Amino acid sequence: MLSMPSGIDHLVIAVADPNAAAAELTEVLGLAFTAGGRHAGLGTFNRIAFLGDAYLELMGVDDRDAAKGWPIGVAAVRALGRGGGFATWAIADTFIGVTVGQLQANGSQIGPLVHGGRQRPDGERVEWWSAFPPELGPGRPPFLIKHLEAGAEWGAQAMAARRAFVHPIGGPVRLLGIQLAAADPLDYAATCFDHVGLEFQSIGPAAVAAVGRQTIQVVAGPSAEVSLSVRLGIGGWTVPARSATELGIEFIMTTASAV
C-alpha cells in the first residue's frame, strides 16, 4: 500500500510582480503575506501567505533561463506566458522518501528526491525535499514535498504561531480545499494516482480526494484549460460566505468553526 499524503502543502501562482500581487490580495481578500524570499540560482522569488499548515505562494521570475532549470520554474514561466495565474500545486508527505520508492516500484515516472531551499530576507535558509512527476502545470499532477521542520517558518513554535495568526480579514485562515475544473475529471484523477499516489473516489462525473483535513474536488470544466477554485476557512470571526476572483483564481471564503 502506498503511504498517504498529509495534506495540500501549497498552491503556486505565477505573477509578474509578487509584491504587487500580495498587496492586491491583502486588500481584496484580507490575507497577509508574511514570508518569502529568493530561490538562489533558480531564477525565481516569492511572497507567501500562510494558511494554517498550508500556504499560498506568489512566484515571480527574474531569470527565465535559470527558471527553466527546475520543474517549478518551468511551470511558472509557462503560466506567465499565458498571462500568469495557477502554475502548479504540491501535496505534503511526511514519509516522502518511502512514498517515492513505493511509487517508482509500482511504475510511476516520478523523479528522485531533490533537496531545495531559499534564502529569507533575514538570512535564514528554508529547506525542503521534493519529488516531481515528469511535467508540472495546471492540468498535470501535483508534486510531493517535505519541509525541514525547523526555524522561523517550519519549527514547532512557528507552526503554532501560523495556525493562530490573525489575518487582516479578522481571524486565522486555513486552506479547506481546492476545486479543479478539468475537461476529463476521471482521467485527471487517474493521472494523479499513477504519478503521485493521490487516490480519488469517483462521484458521478467528478472525482474527490480527502488529504488530511482538506478536500480536493475535480469537476468537469468547459475547456481543456484547468481552472482553480480555493476554499478558505476563517476562524474567530463571523463572516458571510463570499467569493472573489483574483489572478484568474476563484477564492471562496467561509466561516470555519475549527481553524
Side-chain angles (χ1 to χ4, degrees):
M1 173 181 283
L2 294 174
S3 62
M4 296 297 293
S6 56
I8 301 170
D9 187 80
H10 69 282
L11 311 170
V12 181
I13 302 174
V15 295
D17 184 339
N19 290 324
E24 178 180 342
L25 292 184
T26 298
E27 180 179 359
V28 175
L29 301 178
L31 299 179
F33 286 77
T34 57
R38 187 165 297 278
H39 303 105
L42 296 176
T44 57
F45 59 106
N46 64 13
R47 291 294 306 278
I48 286 174
F50 289 118
L51 308 171
D53 292 350
Y55 64 95
L56 186 66
E57 179 179 19
L58 302 176
M59 180 172 289
V61 175
D62 57 6
D63 186 333
R64 290 174 59 89
D65 290 337
K68 291 178 180 178
W70 69 307
I72 303 173
V74 171
V77 168
R78 287 177 177 169
L80 288 171
R82 300 188 297 269
F86 179 41
T88 184
W89 57 296
I91 53 177
D93 192 318
T94 303
F95 305 103
I96 189 171
V98 174
T99 300
V100 169
Q102 291 176 333
L103 287 168
Q104 292 173 338
N106 281 278
S108 169
Q109 295 181 334
I110 194 168
L113 283 183
V114 178
H115 180 242
R118 63 174 166 80
Q119 198 79 13
R120 285 165 45 98
D122 62 9
E124 180 180 316
R125 181 170 171 79
V126 180
E127 300 183 60
W128 60 81
W129 291 265
S130 51
F132 302 98
E135 184 180 2
L136 298 180
R140 305 304 302 162
F143 62 97
L144 303 179
I145 191 167
K146 172 181 168 55
H147 298 271
L148 177 64
E149 297 174 355
E153 291 186 18
W154 293 94
Q157 289 185 336
M159 294 298 292
R162 282 168 52 175
R163 295 172 187 134
F165 178 78
V166 177
H167 285 261
I169 197 170
V173 179
R174 75 174 177 90
L175 178 63
L176 299 179
I178 63 173
Q179 183 183 86
L180 300 165
D184 188 334
L186 299 184
D187 180 70
Y188 178 82
T191 302
C192 287
F193 179 75
D194 290 342
H195 286 294
V196 297
L198 182 58
E199 188 169 4
F200 287 81
Q201 301 296 319
S202 62
I203 302 178
V208 179
V211 285
R213 300 173 65 192
Q214 301 152 337
T215 302
I216 302 164
Q217 296 178 314
V218 188
V219 300
S223 67
E225 184 174 340
V226 172
S227 61
L228 171 68
S229 295
V230 179
R231 293 189 300 112
L232 302 175
I234 307 161
W237 186 54
T238 302
V239 57
R242 60 192 177 98
S243 65
T245 299
E246 294 291 324
L247 308 176
I249 296 165
E250 181 185 34
F251 293 88
I252 302 169
M253 312 183 77
T254 60
T255 299
S257 59
V259 172

